[in-house]
Amino acid sequence: MFRKKSAVMLVTLMTATAAFVSGCGSSSTNAGSAAESSSPAKEAAGTKQQPVEFNFYFTGSQNVKDLWDTLIPMFEKQNADVKVKPVYIPSGTGAQPTYDRITAAKQANKGSGDIDLYEDGLSYVTRGQKDGLWDTLPGDKIKNLANVDEKTLKDISNLAIPYRSSAVVLAYNSDKVKTPPTTLDELYDWIKKNPAKFAYNDPSTGGSGNSFVATTLYKFLPEEAIHNSDPSVEKGWDQGFSLLKDVGKSVYGKGIYPKKNQGTLDLLTSGEVDMIPAWSDMVLEQLAKGQLPKTTKMAQIKPGFNGGPTYLMVPKLSEKKDAVYKFLDFVLSSEAQAVVVDKMHGFPGIKLSNMSKEIQDSFKGASEGFRSFNIGELDKDMTKRWQSEVAAQ
């Protein structure tokens, strides 16, 4: 189950990182019917009741598939009345068609499009909230919701489960960078003093670059603005964009922004740059596989880069919600979350106080600095303006 090695790596490698605060056939059978007692006639005939099967769509890298390939059999072994049918969409092929399918089914009065559970990022949670797609998750049927940070659930109006999380940190070559920056101002100063040795990816192509841009913009705004999706907030972005344009003169290639999170990791691996913003779980996974140099270390700055959870959403029109609730309750259990920590090299989706003492101890010194932003649709305006004002200069 949980291998201590992964968590120990996280603490050892990070100077100060962040923990979680606090990418089919239809059936009318619902979970309630699965729980009903068999009729005397069926019992007499020895008929075995069939489990309720629901469709779970998720996307991501191979490690995400490996995670669900582990958790789903664990759940089914404990719950013979429910069967999970996973539908994996490899990273890079795009999750948009899945969201569109749920939307189209709703508009056509065809339920949820045979999609009963959907995994994605915050942007799809907020889009689905606007489109009225997601079920408000009931605490009485998902008891382990009580293990999740209350502020996080409130931020998304209880429309999704943040089942795992990762932080954006500074990843750097410790042979070249002996003392990494500890604040945003120190980071900007380092970039200017070390031209072409820092890179961040196009924010529209990956969360680490998006985090660098958003953290810069919100440096000049009140802390509560990171949870505000009102368009009026955009008036406060001017100072941040001015700083990004100025810093752009000193980044890799005097303004070359790689595509995707992996693009900057490749530059760090090749030695073309010495420091990048990166997802902590990607760094840890690639270090474990020998894909990054052993000299790679991580550090968090203050205030911290925004990172974030990955969410599970239940379409409001799913006919299998009771079965899905049972699965979600398992996912939020300490047993399942230990597997999440081990397999994903990241942070649990529940509060650390609900984890084993071994896991709690493994995160000591790595529990400060993490910030979760929720700016909703403003993210689109942010990346569009970045393209025209920063990338195009």
Side-chain angles (χ1 to χ4, degrees):
M1 193 185 293
F2 173 73
R3 297 196 304 270
K4 188 173 181 181
K5 181 179 178 182
S6 294
V8 171
M9 279 181 66
L10 180 62
V11 178
T12 303
L13 289 167
M14 297 178 71
T15 304
T17 187
F20 181 59
V21 175
S22 18
C24 316
S26 174
S27 172
S28 60
T29 306
N30 58 33
S33 65
E36 292 174 359
S37 299
S38 299
S39 67
K42 285 185 178 180
E43 289 179 352
T47 303
K48 184 177 180 181
Q49 195 167 19
Q50 293 298 310
V52 176
E53 181 177 273
F54 70 83
N55 296 315
F56 173 27
Y57 280 64
F58 65 94
T59 187
S61 301
Q62 183 63 39
N63 61 344
V64 178
K65 185 178 185 301
D66 292 343
L67 173 68
W68 292 118
D69 283 347
T70 301
L71 286 179
I72 290 173
M74 286 174 60
F75 168 77
E76 292 180 342
K77 186 176 181 180
Q78 299 174 22
N79 299 273
D81 59 335
V82 179
K83 183 171 179 58
V84 183
K85 182 179 179 181
V87 181
Y88 172 55
I89 304 169
S91 180
T93 58
Q96 182 68 36
T98 305
Y99 183 89
D100 291 344
R101 178 173 166 179
I102 299 171
T103 304
K106 178 190 175 186
Q107 294 172 344
N109 295 316
K110 293 185 178 180
S112 63
D114 288 330
I115 298 171
D116 303 295
L117 184 61
Y118 176 51
E119 175 187 339
D120 218 310
L122 181 61
S123 63
Y124 282 94
V125 178
T126 54
R127 286 181 62 189
Q129 181 177 18
K130 184 178 178 182
D131 295 337
L133 296 185
W134 310 133
D135 178 38
T136 300
L137 301 175
D140 60 330
K141 294 187 177 182
I142 309 174
K143 301 294 186 182
N144 284 327
L145 269 178
N147 296 342
V148 180
D149 182 73
E150 299 84 355
K151 293 180 180 179
T152 302
L153 289 175
K154 184 179 179 181
D155 209 26
I156 53 176
S157 303
N158 278 59
L159 294 174
I161 284 180
Y163 83 96
R164 63 180 170 90
S165 189
S166 182
V168 173
V169 296
L170 288 177
Y172 63 96
N173 181 342
S174 61
D175 275 352
K176 300 291 183 66
V177 183
K178 300 301 182 183
T179 306
T182 59
T183 67
L184 276 172
D185 287 335
E186 287 181 12
L187 174 58
Y188 302 134
D189 186 57
W190 187 93
I191 294 171
K192 293 176 183 178
K193 289 180 177 178
N194 297 271
K197 290 300 180 180
F198 179 86
Y200 69 94
N201 62 277
D202 180 328
S204 68
T205 67
S208 59
N210 187 286
S211 177
F212 179 79
V213 172
T215 303
T216 300
L217 297 186
Y218 285 80
K219 175 183 187 295
F220 303 100
L221 290 165
E223 178 68 19
E224 59 269 20
I226 67 175
H227 298 287
N228 190 343
S229 59
D230 191 289
S232 62
V233 174
E234 296 185 29
K235 293 184 292 186
W237 288 352
D238 292 351
Q239 202 169 350
F241 273 113
S242 178
L243 177 55
L244 287 169
K245 285 189 281 187
D246 184 45
V247 168
K249 303 170 186 175
S250 302
V251 301
Y252 174 72
K254 296 183 179 179
I256 294 176
Y257 304 96
K259 302 296 183 184
K260 300 186 178 182
N261 301 307
Q262 190 59 47
T264 47
L265 282 165
D266 290 342
L267 290 177
L268 185 65
T269 301
S270 67
E272 293 182 70
V273 299
D274 296 332
M275 189 184 298
I276 61 171
W279 286 107
S280 57
D281 58 335
M282 291 186 72
V283 174
L284 285 167
E285 181 185 13
Q286 293 184 31
L287 274 169
K289 293 180 177 179
Q291 296 169 344
L292 276 170
K294 293 181 179 179
T295 56
T296 304
K297 291 187 178 181
M298 295 185 290
Q300 184 57 276
I301 58 171
K302 295 181 181 179
F305 286 118
N306 63 302
T310 298
Y311 297 89
L312 294 170
M313 292 84 82
V314 182
K316 189 181 296 185
L317 298 179
S318 167
E319 297 178 343
K320 313 288 183 65
K321 286 194 284 191
D322 283 349
V324 176
Y325 295 156
K326 182 176 285 192
F327 180 63
L328 293 178
D329 195 56
F330 166 77
V331 171
L332 292 177
S333 68
S334 299
E335 176 189 13
Q337 286 291 299
V339 178
V340 170
V341 172
D342 183 39
K343 292 284 186 181
M344 300 304 295
H345 301 281
F347 311 121
I350 62 177
K351 290 176 282 190
L352 278 173
S353 58
N354 291 289
M355 302 298 288
S356 69
K357 187 177 184 302
E358 178 189 16
I359 293 179
Q360 289 186 51
D361 290 345
S362 73
F363 280 101
K364 283 182 178 178
S367 59
E368 296 82 28
F370 177 80
R371 295 192 299 165
S372 180
F373 285 34
N374 186 1
I375 62 174
E377 294 291 303
L378 299 189
D379 184 74
K380 291 183 179 179
D381 292 342
M382 181 186 77
T383 54
K384 184 177 179 180
R385 185 172 170 184
W386 179 88
Q387 291 284 354
S388 62
E389 294 188 22
V390 181
Q393 70 172 343

Short mmCIF file of all heavy atoms in Angstrom, two decimals, residues 258-310:
data_model
loop_
_atom_site.label_atom_id
_atom_site.label_comp_id
_atom_site.label_asym_id
_atom_site.label_seq_id
_atom_site.Cartn_x
_atom_site.Cartn_y
_atom_site.Cartn_z
N PRO A 258 7.93 27.25 -23.57
CA PRO A 258 7.66 25.88 -24.02
C PRO A 258 6.18 25.50 -23.87
O PRO A 258 5.42 26.14 -23.14
CB PRO A 258 8.52 25.03 -23.08
CG PRO A 258 9.55 25.96 -22.54
CD PRO A 258 8.89 27.30 -22.46
N LYS A 259 5.80 24.47 -24.59
CA LYS A 259 4.45 23.95 -24.49
C LYS A 259 4.39 22.88 -23.39
O LYS A 259 5.29 22.07 -23.27
CB LYS A 259 4.00 23.32 -25.83
CG LYS A 259 4.03 24.28 -27.01
CD LYS A 259 3.05 25.43 -26.83
CE LYS A 259 3.06 26.34 -28.05
NZ LYS A 259 2.18 27.52 -27.89
N LYS A 260 3.37 22.92 -22.61
CA LYS A 260 3.05 21.94 -21.58
C LYS A 260 4.07 21.92 -20.43
O LYS A 260 5.18 22.42 -20.54
CB LYS A 260 2.90 20.53 -22.18
CG LYS A 260 1.80 20.44 -23.22
CD LYS A 260 1.59 19.01 -23.67
CE LYS A 260 0.44 18.92 -24.67
NZ LYS A 260 0.17 17.53 -25.10
N ASN A 261 3.63 21.32 -19.33
CA ASN A 261 4.48 21.21 -18.14
C ASN A 261 5.77 20.46 -18.46
O ASN A 261 6.84 20.79 -17.94
CB ASN A 261 3.73 20.47 -17.03
CG ASN A 261 2.43 21.15 -16.64
OD1 ASN A 261 2.41 22.33 -16.33
ND2 ASN A 261 1.34 20.40 -16.65
N GLN A 262 5.66 19.45 -19.31
CA GLN A 262 6.83 18.63 -19.63
C GLN A 262 7.86 19.41 -20.42
O GLN A 262 9.06 19.11 -20.33
CB GLN A 262 6.40 17.39 -20.42
CG GLN A 262 7.50 16.36 -20.60
CD GLN A 262 8.05 15.84 -19.29
OE1 GLN A 262 7.31 15.48 -18.39
NE2 GLN A 262 9.37 15.80 -19.17
N GLY A 263 7.42 20.42 -21.15
CA GLY A 263 8.36 21.21 -21.95
C GLY A 263 9.45 21.85 -21.12
O GLY A 263 10.63 21.83 -21.50
N THR A 264 9.07 22.43 -19.98
CA THR A 264 10.08 23.06 -19.13
C THR A 264 10.91 22.01 -18.39
O THR A 264 12.11 22.21 -18.17
CB THR A 264 9.42 24.01 -18.12
OG1 THR A 264 8.30 23.36 -17.50
CG2 THR A 264 8.93 25.27 -18.81
N LEU A 265 10.29 20.89 -18.02
CA LEU A 265 11.05 19.82 -17.37
C LEU A 265 12.13 19.28 -18.31
O LEU A 265 13.24 18.96 -17.88
CB LEU A 265 10.11 18.69 -16.94
CG LEU A 265 9.30 18.94 -15.67
CD1 LEU A 265 8.17 17.94 -15.55
CD2 LEU A 265 10.20 18.89 -14.44
N ASP A 266 11.82 19.22 -19.59
CA ASP A 266 12.81 18.76 -20.57
C ASP A 266 14.00 19.73 -20.64
O ASP A 266 15.16 19.29 -20.78
CB ASP A 266 12.17 18.64 -21.96
CG ASP A 266 11.20 17.48 -22.05
OD1 ASP A 266 11.26 16.57 -21.20
OD2 ASP A 266 10.36 17.48 -22.98
N LEU A 267 13.71 21.02 -20.53
CA LEU A 267 14.80 22.01 -20.55
C LEU A 267 15.69 21.89 -19.31
O LEU A 267 16.90 22.05 -19.38
CB LEU A 267 14.22 23.43 -20.63
CG LEU A 267 13.56 23.84 -21.94
CD1 LEU A 267 12.98 25.25 -21.83
CD2 LEU A 267 14.55 23.77 -23.11
N LEU A 268 15.06 21.59 -18.17
CA LEU A 268 15.84 21.40 -16.94
C LEU A 268 16.68 20.13 -17.04
O LEU A 268 17.85 20.11 -16.64
CB LEU A 268 14.89 21.32 -15.74
CG LEU A 268 15.54 21.24 -14.36
CD1 LEU A 268 16.30 22.54 -14.05
CD2 LEU A 268 14.48 20.98 -13.28
N THR A 269 16.10 19.09 -17.60
CA THR A 269 16.82 17.81 -17.76
C THR A 269 18.04 17.97 -18.65
O THR A 269 19.12 17.43 -18.38
CB THR A 269 15.88 16.75 -18.35
OG1 THR A 269 14.77 16.56 -17.49
CG2 THR A 269 16.60 15.42 -18.53
N SER A 270 17.89 18.71 -19.73
CA SER A 270 18.99 18.89 -20.69
C SER A 270 20.04 19.89 -20.22
O SER A 270 21.11 19.99 -20.82
CB SER A 270 18.43 19.36 -22.04
OG SER A 270 17.89 20.68 -21.93
N GLY A 271 19.74 20.62 -19.16
CA GLY A 271 20.69 21.60 -18.64
C GLY A 271 20.62 22.95 -19.33
O GLY A 271 21.45 23.83 -19.07
N GLU A 272 19.63 23.14 -20.20
CA GLU A 272 19.49 24.43 -20.88
C GLU A 272 19.03 25.52 -19.94
O GLU A 272 19.31 26.70 -20.17
CB GLU A 272 18.53 24.30 -22.06
CG GLU A 272 19.06 23.42 -23.18
CD GLU A 272 18.11 23.36 -24.36
OE1 GLU A 272 17.98 24.38 -25.06
OE2 GLU A 272 17.50 22.29 -24.56
N VAL A 273 18.30 25.15 -18.90
CA VAL A 273 17.93 26.11 -17.86
C VAL A 273 18.26 25.50 -16.50
O VAL A 273 18.48 24.28 -16.38
CB VAL A 273 16.43 26.48 -17.92
CG1 VAL A 273 16.08 27.12 -19.25
CG2 VAL A 273 15.54 25.26 -17.64
N ASP A 274 18.29 26.35 -15.48
CA ASP A 274 18.65 25.89 -14.14
C ASP A 274 17.47 25.91 -13.17
O ASP A 274 17.57 25.35 -12.07
CB ASP A 274 19.77 26.76 -13.56
CG ASP A 274 21.06 26.65 -14.35
OD1 ASP A 274 21.29 25.59 -14.96
OD2 ASP A 274 21.83 27.64 -14.37
N MET A 275 16.37 26.56 -13.58
CA MET A 275 15.24 26.65 -12.65
C MET A 275 13.94 26.82 -13.42
O MET A 275 13.91 27.52 -14.44
CB MET A 275 15.43 27.83 -11.69
CG MET A 275 14.42 27.88 -10.55
SD MET A 275 14.63 29.38 -9.53
CE MET A 275 16.30 29.12 -8.91
N ILE A 276 12.88 26.17 -12.92
CA ILE A 276 11.56 26.26 -13.54
C ILE A 276 10.49 26.13 -12.47
O ILE A 276 10.73 25.55 -11.40
CB ILE A 276 11.34 25.13 -14.59
CG1 ILE A 276 11.41 23.76 -13.91
CG2 ILE A 276 12.33 25.23 -15.73
CD1 ILE A 276 10.99 22.59 -14.77
N PRO A 277 9.26 26.60 -12.73
CA PRO A 277 8.14 26.20 -11.89
C PRO A 277 7.65 24.84 -12.40
O PRO A 277 7.62 24.61 -13.61
CB PRO A 277 7.10 27.30 -12.14
CG PRO A 277 7.41 27.80 -13.51
CD PRO A 277 8.89 27.62 -13.72
N ALA A 278 7.31 23.93 -11.50
CA ALA A 278 6.91 22.58 -11.91
C ALA A 278 5.96 21.98 -10.88
O ALA A 278 5.96 22.37 -9.71
CB ALA A 278 8.13 21.68 -12.07
N TRP A 279 5.16 21.02 -11.32
CA TRP A 279 4.30 20.28 -10.40
C TRP A 279 5.17 19.34 -9.57
O TRP A 279 5.98 18.59 -10.11
CB TRP A 279 3.25 19.48 -11.15
CG TRP A 279 2.15 20.30 -11.74
CD1 TRP A 279 1.97 20.60 -13.05
CD2 TRP A 279 1.07 20.92 -11.03
NE1 TRP A 279 0.84 21.37 -13.21
CE2 TRP A 279 0.26 21.58 -11.99
CE3 TRP A 279 0.70 20.97 -9.68
CZ2 TRP A 279 -0.88 22.29 -11.64
CZ3 TRP A 279 -0.44 21.68 -9.34
CH2 TRP A 279 -1.22 22.33 -10.30
N SER A 280 4.98 19.37 -8.26
CA SER A 280 5.80 18.55 -7.37
C SER A 280 5.68 17.06 -7.68
O SER A 280 6.67 16.33 -7.62
CB SER A 280 5.41 18.81 -5.91
OG SER A 280 4.03 18.57 -5.70
N ASP A 281 4.47 16.61 -8.02
CA ASP A 281 4.31 15.17 -8.28
C ASP A 281 5.03 14.74 -9.54
O ASP A 281 5.58 13.63 -9.60
CB ASP A 281 2.83 14.79 -8.34
CG ASP A 281 2.05 15.55 -9.41
OD1 ASP A 281 2.47 16.67 -9.77
OD2 ASP A 281 1.02 15.03 -9.88
N MET A 282 5.07 15.61 -10.56
CA MET A 282 5.79 15.27 -11.79
C MET A 282 7.29 15.18 -11.53
O MET A 282 7.97 14.28 -12.04
CB MET A 282 5.51 16.31 -12.87
CG MET A 282 4.10 16.30 -13.41
SD MET A 282 3.84 17.43 -14.82
CE MET A 282 4.74 16.57 -16.12
N VAL A 283 7.81 16.10 -10.72
CA VAL A 283 9.24 16.08 -10.39
C VAL A 283 9.59 14.81 -9.63
O VAL A 283 10.55 14.11 -9.96
CB VAL A 283 9.63 17.33 -9.57
CG1 VAL A 283 11.08 17.23 -9.11
CG2 VAL A 283 9.43 18.60 -10.39
N LEU A 284 8.78 14.48 -8.62
CA LEU A 284 9.06 13.30 -7.81
C LEU A 284 8.97 12.02 -8.63
O LEU A 284 9.81 11.12 -8.49
CB LEU A 284 8.08 13.25 -6.64
CG LEU A 284 8.38 14.24 -5.51
CD1 LEU A 284 7.19 14.35 -4.56
CD2 LEU A 284 9.63 13.84 -4.75
N GLU A 285 7.96 11.93 -9.48
CA GLU A 285 7.80 10.73 -10.30
C GLU A 285 8.99 10.56 -11.25
O GLU A 285 9.54 9.46 -11.39
CB GLU A 285 6.51 10.81 -11.10
CG GLU A 285 6.28 9.58 -11.97
CD GLU A 285 5.05 9.70 -12.85
OE1 GLU A 285 4.50 10.80 -12.99
OE2 GLU A 285 4.64 8.67 -13.43
N GLN A 286 9.40 11.66 -11.90
CA GLN A 286 10.49 11.56 -12.87
C GLN A 286 11.84 11.36 -12.19
O GLN A 286 12.73 10.73 -12.75
CB GLN A 286 10.47 12.78 -13.78
CG GLN A 286 9.24 12.79 -14.67
CD GLN A 286 9.20 13.91 -15.68
OE1 GLN A 286 10.23 14.38 -16.16
NE2 GLN A 286 7.99 14.36 -16.03
N LEU A 287 11.99 11.87 -10.98
CA LEU A 287 13.21 11.58 -10.22
C LEU A 287 13.26 10.10 -9.87
O LEU A 287 14.30 9.45 -9.98
CB LEU A 287 13.25 12.42 -8.94
CG LEU A 287 13.84 13.83 -9.06
CD1 LEU A 287 13.56 14.61 -7.79
CD2 LEU A 287 15.34 13.77 -9.33
N ALA A 288 12.12 9.55 -9.46
CA ALA A 288 12.07 8.13 -9.08
C ALA A 288 12.39 7.22 -10.26
O ALA A 288 12.95 6.14 -10.09
CB ALA A 288 10.69 7.81 -8.51
N LYS A 289 12.03 7.68 -11.46
CA LYS A 289 12.27 6.88 -12.67
C LYS A 289 13.61 7.20 -13.32
O LYS A 289 13.94 6.63 -14.36
CB LYS A 289 11.15 7.12 -13.68
CG LYS A 289 9.79 6.60 -13.23
CD LYS A 289 8.72 6.88 -14.28
CE LYS A 289 7.38 6.29 -13.87
NZ LYS A 289 6.32 6.59 -14.88
N GLY A 290 14.38 8.11 -12.73
CA GLY A 290 15.67 8.47 -13.29
C GLY A 290 15.58 9.34 -14.52
O GLY A 290 16.55 9.46 -15.29
N GLN A 291 14.43 9.98 -14.74
CA GLN A 291 14.24 10.83 -15.91
C GLN A 291 14.72 12.26 -15.69
O GLN A 291 14.90 13.01 -16.64
CB GLN A 291 12.76 10.82 -16.32
CG GLN A 291 12.27 9.46 -16.76
CD GLN A 291 10.76 9.39 -16.91
OE1 GLN A 291 10.04 10.25 -16.42
NE2 GLN A 291 10.27 8.36 -17.58
N LEU A 292 14.91 12.63 -14.43
CA LEU A 292 15.48 13.93 -14.09
C LEU A 292 16.82 13.71 -13.40
O LEU A 292 17.01 12.69 -12.72
CB LEU A 292 14.54 14.70 -13.14
CG LEU A 292 13.40 15.50 -13.75
CD1 LEU A 292 12.44 15.98 -12.66
CD2 LEU A 292 13.92 16.70 -14.54
N PRO A 293 17.77 14.63 -13.55
CA PRO A 293 19.06 14.47 -12.88
C PRO A 293 18.89 14.40 -11.37
O PRO A 293 17.98 15.02 -10.80
CB PRO A 293 19.81 15.75 -13.29
CG PRO A 293 19.14 16.22 -14.53
CD PRO A 293 17.70 15.84 -14.39
N LYS A 294 19.76 13.65 -10.72
CA LYS A 294 19.69 13.51 -9.26
C LYS A 294 19.96 14.84 -8.56
O LYS A 294 19.65 14.99 -7.37
CB LYS A 294 20.70 12.46 -8.79
CG LYS A 294 20.36 11.04 -9.24
CD LYS A 294 21.39 10.05 -8.73
CE LYS A 294 21.03 8.62 -9.17
NZ LYS A 294 22.04 7.63 -8.70
N THR A 295 20.53 15.77 -9.27
CA THR A 295 20.81 17.09 -8.68
C THR A 295 19.55 17.97 -8.60
O THR A 295 19.61 19.06 -8.06
CB THR A 295 21.86 17.83 -9.52
OG1 THR A 295 21.40 17.92 -10.89
CG2 THR A 295 23.20 17.11 -9.50
N THR A 296 18.44 17.49 -9.13
CA THR A 296 17.21 18.27 -9.11
C THR A 296 16.62 18.30 -7.70
O THR A 296 16.43 17.27 -7.07
CB THR A 296 16.16 17.66 -10.07
OG1 THR A 296 16.72 17.57 -11.38
CG2 THR A 296 14.91 18.52 -10.11
N LYS A 297 16.35 19.51 -7.24
CA LYS A 297 15.70 19.69 -5.95
C LYS A 297 14.51 20.63 -6.11
O LYS A 297 14.33 21.26 -7.15
CB LYS A 297 16.68 20.24 -4.91
CG LYS A 297 17.76 19.25 -4.51
CD LYS A 297 18.61 19.78 -3.37
CE LYS A 297 19.66 18.75 -2.95
NZ LYS A 297 20.48 19.24 -1.81
N MET A 298 13.69 20.70 -5.05
CA MET A 298 12.51 21.55 -5.09
C MET A 298 12.47 22.49 -3.90
O MET A 298 12.98 22.17 -2.82
CB MET A 298 11.24 20.71 -5.10
CG MET A 298 11.09 19.85 -6.33
SD MET A 298 9.50 18.98 -6.36
CE MET A 298 9.73 17.80 -5.04
N ALA A 299 11.85 23.65 -4.11
CA ALA A 299 11.67 24.62 -3.02
C ALA A 299 10.38 25.38 -3.26
O ALA A 299 9.95 25.56 -4.41
CB ALA A 299 12.85 25.59 -2.97
N GLN A 300 9.74 25.80 -2.19
CA GLN A 300 8.55 26.63 -2.30
C GLN A 300 8.91 28.06 -1.92
O GLN A 300 9.86 28.29 -1.16
CB GLN A 300 7.44 26.11 -1.39
CG GLN A 300 6.11 26.84 -1.50
CD GLN A 300 5.54 26.84 -2.90
OE1 GLN A 300 5.92 27.70 -3.72
NE2 GLN A 300 4.65 25.90 -3.20
N ILE A 301 8.20 29.00 -2.48
CA ILE A 301 8.42 30.41 -2.17
C ILE A 301 7.28 30.91 -1.29
O ILE A 301 6.28 30.23 -1.08
CB ILE A 301 8.51 31.26 -3.45
CG1 ILE A 301 7.22 31.09 -4.27
CG2 ILE A 301 9.74 30.90 -4.25
CD1 ILE A 301 7.11 32.03 -5.44
N LYS A 302 7.45 32.12 -0.78
CA LYS A 302 6.40 32.77 0.01
C LYS A 302 6.09 34.13 -0.60
O LYS A 302 7.01 34.92 -0.81
CB LYS A 302 6.87 32.93 1.46
CG LYS A 302 7.09 31.62 2.19
CD LYS A 302 7.52 31.86 3.62
CE LYS A 302 7.76 30.54 4.34
NZ LYS A 302 8.20 30.75 5.73
N PRO A 303 4.80 34.43 -0.88
CA PRO A 303 3.67 33.51 -0.79
C PRO A 303 3.79 32.40 -1.83
O PRO A 303 4.40 32.59 -2.87
CB PRO A 303 2.47 34.41 -1.06
CG PRO A 303 3.02 35.51 -1.91
CD PRO A 303 4.41 35.74 -1.41
N GLY A 304 3.20 31.26 -1.53
CA GLY A 304 3.39 30.08 -2.37
C GLY A 304 2.71 30.18 -3.72
O GLY A 304 1.72 30.88 -3.90
N PHE A 305 3.28 29.45 -4.69
CA PHE A 305 2.60 29.29 -5.98
C PHE A 305 1.26 28.62 -5.74
O PHE A 305 1.10 27.84 -4.80
CB PHE A 305 3.42 28.40 -6.91
CG PHE A 305 4.65 29.05 -7.49
CD1 PHE A 305 5.91 28.53 -7.21
CD2 PHE A 305 4.56 30.16 -8.30
CE1 PHE A 305 7.05 29.11 -7.74
CE2 PHE A 305 5.68 30.74 -8.83
CZ PHE A 305 6.93 30.22 -8.55
N ASN A 306 0.31 28.92 -6.61
CA ASN A 306 -0.95 28.19 -6.48
C ASN A 306 -0.80 26.82 -7.12
O ASN A 306 -0.24 26.66 -8.18
CB ASN A 306 -2.10 28.96 -7.14
CG ASN A 306 -1.93 29.15 -8.62
OD1 ASN A 306 -0.96 29.72 -9.08
ND2 ASN A 306 -2.88 28.67 -9.38
N GLY A 307 -1.28 25.84 -6.42
CA GLY A 307 -1.34 24.49 -6.95
C GLY A 307 -2.81 24.12 -6.99
O GLY A 307 -3.65 24.97 -7.18
N GLY A 308 -3.10 22.89 -6.78
CA GLY A 308 -4.51 22.57 -6.73
C GLY A 308 -4.83 21.10 -6.78
O GLY A 308 -4.01 20.27 -7.16
N PRO A 309 -6.06 20.79 -6.38
CA PRO A 309 -6.52 19.41 -6.40
C PRO A 309 -6.97 18.99 -7.79
O PRO A 309 -7.19 19.81 -8.68
CB PRO A 309 -7.72 19.42 -5.45
CG PRO A 309 -7.69 20.75 -4.76
CD PRO A 309 -7.00 21.67 -5.71
N THR A 310 -7.13 17.70 -7.95
CA THR A 310 -7.87 17.13 -9.08
C THR A 310 -9.20 16.66 -8.50
O THR A 310 -9.24 16.10 -7.41
CB THR A 310 -7.10 15.96 -9.71
OG1 THR A 310 -5.86 16.45 -10.21
CG2 THR A 310 -7.90 15.34 -10.85
#
